[in-house]
Amino acid sequence: HVKHQLESTQLQTSAIVTLIEHLQLIPMDIYTVPGQVVSYSVLAHQGTLVDLSTGDHSLMSRNDKVAKVVGSKGLVESVSVGTTYIYIKDKEGLMNSTSSPNAQIDVVEPISLVISISTCADDEETVCVLA
């Protein structure tokens, strides 16, 4: 509180200062396909992981039609093609989509298919054919 006296007029002013933690979402930007589940981590300024299960912080999606948060463990499911942002929200309501770190998630249609072929015999030379 600050008081200032001007001749016969007294002014009083107060200010509330709020400190918001410096947090970072990992991964920050990602490309994924519909149906894929991405696991996010939240790092504090000191490099320690933030435990999302305590309820102090949670992840939110700006557009649940593109990607939605699943549970309270940092999982985000890609729903449909588009771009959205994942952000951190705290239980006090001080952090929101504009004041907290954002991670961009681009959900795209797959353009290639990768097939893994592994050995299925003990000699590790016989190739298994997957049908």
Side-chain angles (χ1 to χ4, degrees):
H1 293 275
V2 178
K3 290 184 179 180
H4 184 69
Q5 184 90 22
L6 292 174
E7 295 181 21
S8 64
T9 307
Q10 183 178 359
L11 300 174
Q12 186 172 351
T13 324
S14 65
I16 298 173
V17 177
T18 304
L19 299 176
I20 298 177
E21 291 180 82
H22 175 73
L23 301 175
Q24 181 179 4
L25 275 169
I26 305 293
M28 291 181 66
D29 298 315
I30 191 166
Y31 286 88
T32 184
V33 296
Q36 183 73 33
V37 176
V38 179
S39 178
Y40 281 90
S41 298
V42 179
L43 287 178
H45 180 62
Q46 302 83 9
T48 57
L49 285 174
V50 174
D51 184 4
L52 293 173
S53 66
T54 64
D56 291 336
H57 299 89
S58 59
L59 297 184
M60 303 295 291
S61 174
R62 283 195 193 172
N63 186 347
D64 287 335
K65 293 179 181 177
V66 174
K68 65 181 179 179
V69 176
V70 180
S72 62
K73 304 268 186 198
L75 299 178
V76 175
E77 181 181 0
S78 306
V79 178
S80 63
V81 173
T83 299
T84 191
Y85 296 89
I86 305 301
Y87 64 94
I88 303 168
K89 182 179 177 188
D90 66 329
K91 70 179 181 183
E92 286 84 22
L94 301 173
M95 300 175 78
N96 57 40
S97 63
T98 57
S99 66
S100 74
N102 286 288
Q104 181 173 322
I105 183 165
D106 292 289
V107 182
V108 297
E109 288 294 333
I111 57 171
S112 65
L113 176 64
V114 176
I115 298 175
S116 296
I117 299 175
S118 61
T119 60
C120 61
D122 290 336
D123 62 11
E124 294 189 13
E125 292 179 6
T126 307
V127 177
C128 289
V129 177
L130 303 175

